[in-house]
Amino acid sequence: MTATDGATGPAASSAPSASGAPASGGAAAPEPGAPASGGAAAPGRVKTFLRMVMIEHSVFALPFAYIASLTAMYRDGGSVDWWTLLLVTVAMVGLRTFAMACNRIIDREIDARNPRTAGRELVTGAMSVRSAWAGALAALAVFLGAAALLNPLCLLLAPVAVVPMVVYPYGKRFTNFPHAILGLAQAMGPVGAWLAVTGAWSWDAVVLGLAVGVWIGGFDLIFACQDVDADRAHGVMSVPARFGIPAALYGARGAHAVTMGLFVWYALLTGAGAWFWVGLAVVAAAFLYEHSLVRPGDLSRLNRAFFTVNGFIGIALFGCALVDLAVRGLTV
């Protein structure tokens, strides 16, 4: 499957569950997996929904949105606009939650046929499709509301960010390269975060967005390797399923080499200081470590390569970028 399957967001799965339709006689059927009594049912559904969308995996995209936002703030006025930063956070989490929920809903039948994903909430009936759609639409409303509060351009361009998130789950049905669609979807984050601050287009942000998109597409290639047998058996399309695990791992290495080149380009475009370059050195070392963990014949450490290393990459680079901006004069 994909990185947003999480487990794998980048930007990529789920199976039939109860529809949530009213039971015979007109009374609503109890939510599968939820308490029958009304008082505890809603909190239980919310908790199940958050578990389904793996809300904690927002860590992959948020650091780069913060890098873009804070760099734009440094250039635009030299101080942190906390309200804008909060809205960027809300928008990013809202969009990512919507995307993940759509992914789980659209892929629920595929998930049911894959032993790795057969325990997901929509497969087991712990959550109904109706409740999942309700959560997805609520997350979309949160995203659009945050975009509207940021500036008119963010709201105008919001559909551009939404469409790839919905197209991505379908990608594995019509192309061997759904990872590229995920990368495109995730590349929007830094661009949107920059627009949120300045209300104007920036090619610097585009370079950072491309770096993030290629990075996430690359580690999605790694993640998809574990589903090769199931994907081939059920006609799910991906690079590993079509070209084999060795090709996918080589593709991931190439993608991450390109990512490093784009990060360097972004650093040069924005006049980054010493601390940002230290961060890039740390990221390069993390990439080398990540690719040492997986081999065509040994995917036993894949989760460490995916979750631990990639989570570290975003946080480490953001930390170094933040120190760099503070040293260069960004104030709170």
Side-chain angles (χ1 to χ4, degrees):
M1 298 294 168
T2 66
T4 55
D5 288 341
T8 199
S13 261
S14 307
S17 75
S19 66
S24 59
E31 184 72 31
S37 59
R45 284 196 294 269
V46 170
K47 184 176 180 180
T48 302
F49 178 79
L50 293 178
R51 184 172 66 246
M52 182 189 77
V53 300
M54 306 186 78
I55 194 71
E56 68 277 9
H57 287 184
S58 299
V59 69
F60 292 122
L62 269 176
F64 297 95
Y66 289 152
I67 290 172
S69 295
L70 293 173
T71 303
M73 289 174 187
Y74 167 73
R75 287 184 162 188
D76 201 42
S79 62
V80 177
D81 181 340
W82 292 101
W83 173 244
T84 297
L85 202 61
L86 174 62
L87 289 176
V88 166
T89 304
V90 171
M92 289 290 294
V93 173
L95 182 58
R96 188 253 171 212
T97 299
F98 168 74
M100 194 66 160
C102 287
N103 186 52
R104 292 289 189 256
I105 294 166
I106 293 166
D107 279 352
R108 63 191 185 277
E109 294 181 2
I110 290 175
D111 283 354
R113 297 192 294 265
N114 185 337
R116 181 181 69 81
T117 56
R120 288 179 174 167
E121 290 76 9
L122 288 175
V123 180
T124 63
M127 169 153 284
S128 70
V129 176
R130 182 176 65 182
S131 293
W133 272 122
L137 294 176
L140 178 61
V142 167
F143 166 67
L144 294 174
L149 289 172
L150 282 164
N151 58 60
L153 184 59
C154 284
L155 181 59
L156 179 66
L157 295 178
V160 178
V162 171
V163 169
M165 301 295 185
V166 179
V167 172
Y168 165 65
Y170 291 105
K172 60 181 71 72
R173 294 161 170 83
F174 63 81
T175 176
N176 292 313
F177 304 96
H179 329 279
I181 303 174
L182 176 63
L184 174 63
Q186 298 299 322
M188 306 262 181
V191 178
W194 196 294
L195 286 172
V197 174
T198 65
W201 185 261
S202 168
W203 288 107
D204 296 358
V206 171
V207 172
L208 180 60
L210 287 174
V212 172
V214 175
W215 166 56
I216 290 179
F219 73 65
D220 192 44
L221 287 172
I222 298 174
F223 191 82
C225 289
Q226 65 189 319
D227 290 323
V228 165
D229 292 339
D231 288 352
R232 288 173 174 169
H234 302 295
V236 178
M237 304 173 75
S238 72
V239 167
R242 173 63 178 83
F243 302 103
I245 290 175
L249 295 181
Y250 279 119
R253 292 172 187 172
H256 290 161
V258 172
T259 298
M260 284 305 306
L262 289 167
F263 278 148
V264 168
W265 189 10
Y266 173 77
L268 294 172
L269 288 172
T270 57
W275 276 102
F276 192 88
W277 291 100
V278 168
L280 291 187
V282 172
V283 169
F287 276 145
L288 291 174
Y289 176 63
E290 176 180 13
H291 290 282
S292 75
L293 293 175
V294 286
R295 296 280 187 271
D298 181 12
L299 300 177
S300 61
R301 296 182 291 178
L302 186 146
N303 280 338
R304 188 192 307 176
F306 174 74
F307 295 108
T308 306
V309 178
N310 287 298
F312 169 79
I313 283 173
I315 293 171
L317 188 58
F318 168 66
C320 289
L322 181 61
V323 172
D324 183 59
L325 289 168
V327 169
R328 293 163 62 192
L330 179 68
T331 60
V332 297

